[in-house]
Amino acid sequence: MPSALITGIAGQDGSYLAEFLLEKGYEVAGLILEEDEERLKAMSGLMDRVRLLPGDLTDMDSLIQAVEISRPDEVYNLASQSSIIRSWEDPYLTAEVTGLGAVRLLETVRRFAPRARFFQASSSELFGNPEVCPQTEETPFAPRNPYGHAKLLAHALVGVYRERHGLFASAGILYNHESPRRPPEHVTRKITRAAARIKAGLDDRLVLGDIKAVRDWGYAPDFVRAFWLMLQQPGPEDFIVATGEPRTVEDFCRLAFQAVSLDYRDFLQVNPKLFRSWETRPLIGNPAKARQRLGWEPETSFPDLVRLMVEADLAKIESAGEPAHG
């Protein structure tokens, strides 16, 4: 029976990946912080099906212990400080967790599980403000925020450990991917939650910044399938994981309100104070290499992604006993 160790198992990607691997017959262990347990309890009994190990990417000893206990065939590093806003507020923490944390885990695998296959969750933020759109694996990296620079350190060291130490280490350059498990502070959940609450008569407006901002949005369960496929290849490589389809925040709003038979224009308020001064050119990925080498395709369309998120938020309102109207 194959075994896997997942950092960030309580997050969106980690929880979906754990479920995916369990369905494939893996023994799954996950590295968690104390505050992660409540999040895991809400996820389909996941706590009862995986081995949870206390640990922290800033604590080398805890990583060594987790690897020695789980003896993984595959290691997936999905944990990070992933908020761009917070990376400006606390660049030291971002570098410590997102950058150096990945290096600690790579070194732990090299020393204590050298035959394990390693996946690093990299980010489209590596590209910064690229001249080329869509981006490919050959597009130069030029991150423009502390989060992107921390991710670049981790990404670069994946290549170093692959070449210098012969580690099977692959990185997925991940574009935006969403799901009902996305935390409420993200714009996508802010939109779907607002649509559900307005439909239920609990709110009357949605306030956003730049609705013309462009994103490449995919569905998180589709993306974790790509993570696994990367580690099943004959050799380690890096891949862009994206849909290649540009969408605006306004597109997301339109579909979210359409899912509850409302017109977003009746409820949307644009606040220029919420515009992001660091917005760059559109980050749109070209997933051709993943399609050709991995046989990977996104299976969930953009409209279906938005609908699934709205339906999940409606279900949460109903389960909380709050009345729905209309």
Side-chain angles (χ1 to χ4, degrees), residues 169-232:
S170 297
I173 302 173
L174 312 179
Y175 284 68
N176 292 66
H177 48 292
E178 312 298 324
S179 77
R181 296 180 187 173
R182 178 61 87 187
E185 61 267 20
H186 289 254
V187 68
T188 52
R189 273 296 310 286
K190 184 177 180 181
I191 293 168
T192 61
R193 189 168 179 268
R197 288 180 62 82
I198 289 169
K199 180 64 175 179
L202 300 173
D203 278 331
D204 58 8
R205 64 175 178 164
L206 167 63
V207 181
L208 294 175
D210 184 8
I211 63 172
K212 301 300 182 184
V214 177
R215 298 285 185 274
D216 181 338
W217 274 303
Y219 185 43
D222 286 342
F223 276 45
V224 302
R225 182 164 40 88
F227 306 172
W228 177 77
L229 285 169
M230 287 184 212
L231 299 194
Q232 313 314 307

Side-chain angles (χ1 to χ4, degrees), residues 7-55:
T7 73
I9 194 170
Q12 169 187 262
D13 293 2
S15 59
Y16 282 121
L17 178 62
E19 291 169 351
F20 176 87
L21 294 177
L22 287 167
E23 289 175 5
K24 290 197 168 291
Y26 279 66
E27 289 183 347
V28 177
L31 201 69
I32 63 162
L33 301 170
E34 187 175 337
E35 58 264 29
D36 290 335
E37 292 193 24
E38 286 304 314
R39 295 171 68 189
L40 280 172
K41 286 177 182 176
M43 295 179 189
S44 308
L46 193 57
M47 283 189 72
D48 300 327
R49 303 165 63 201
V50 301
R51 186 171 191 175
L52 300 177
L53 302 170

Side-chain angles (χ1 to χ4, degrees), residues 119-131:
F119 172 82
Q120 168 65 25
S122 291
S123 167
S124 60
E125 289 293 326
L126 296 178
F127 295 119
N129 195 17
E131 298 286 345

Side-chain angles (χ1 to χ4, degrees), residues 3 5 9 24 30 50 62 122 132 135-136 155 182 191 208 219 233 239 266 270 278 284 306-307:
S3 60
L5 174 64
I9 194 170
K24 290 197 168 291
V50 301
S62 72
S122 291
V132 177
Q135 296 84 47
T136 72
H155 184 87
R182 178 61 87 187
I191 293 168
L208 294 175
Y219 185 43
Q233 300 310 299
F239 293 86
D266 295 334
V270 175
W278 64 84
I284 308 299
V306 179
R307 179 182 52 78

Side-chain angles (χ1 to χ4, degrees), residues 22-206:
L22 287 167
E23 289 175 5
K24 290 197 168 291
Y26 279 66
E27 289 183 347
V28 177
L31 201 69
I32 63 162
L33 301 170
E34 187 175 337
E35 58 264 29
D36 290 335
E37 292 193 24
E38 286 304 314
R39 295 171 68 189
L40 280 172
K41 286 177 182 176
M43 295 179 189
S44 308
L46 193 57
M47 283 189 72
D48 300 327
R49 303 165 63 201
V50 301
R51 186 171 191 175
L52 300 177
L53 302 170
D56 188 329
L57 288 178
T58 66
D59 179 0
M60 187 79 167
D61 289 341
S62 72
L63 300 181
I64 293 170
Q65 186 174 34
V67 167
E68 289 185 326
I69 291 172
S70 60
R71 303 180 65 183
D73 299 304
E74 298 171 4
V75 176
Y76 295 86
N77 185 32
L78 310 183
S80 73
Q81 189 303 100
S82 58
S83 166
I84 294 174
I85 294 174
R86 191 176 179 193
S87 80
W88 286 111
E89 296 169 348
D90 196 344
Y92 176 82
L93 176 68
T94 303
E96 191 67 40
V97 175
T98 304
L100 292 175
V103 180
R104 290 187 191 94
L105 188 58
L106 279 164
E107 182 62 12
T108 299
V109 171
R110 181 189 74 81
R111 290 166 55 192
F112 297 96
R115 295 185 180 179
R117 297 189 168 197
F118 184 95
F119 172 82
Q120 168 65 25
S122 291
S123 167
S124 60
E125 289 293 326
L126 296 178
F127 295 119
N129 195 17
E131 298 286 345
V132 177
C133 190
Q135 296 84 47
T136 72
E137 289 81 1
E138 306 305 317
T139 301
F141 298 138
R144 300 186 69 204
N145 54 62
Y147 169 73
H149 279 280
K151 279 292 188 183
L152 180 56
L153 172 62
H155 184 87
L157 267 292
V158 166
V160 169
Y161 273 74
R162 184 165 61 211
E163 295 166 14
R164 177 68 177 83
H165 299 299
L167 205 67
F168 191 114
S170 297
I173 302 173
L174 312 179
Y175 284 68
N176 292 66
H177 48 292
E178 312 298 324
S179 77
R181 296 180 187 173
R182 178 61 87 187
E185 61 267 20
H186 289 254
V187 68
T188 52
R189 273 296 310 286
K190 184 177 180 181
I191 293 168
T192 61
R193 189 168 179 268
R197 288 180 62 82
I198 289 169
K199 180 64 175 179
L202 300 173
D203 278 331
D204 58 8
R205 64 175 178 164
L206 167 63

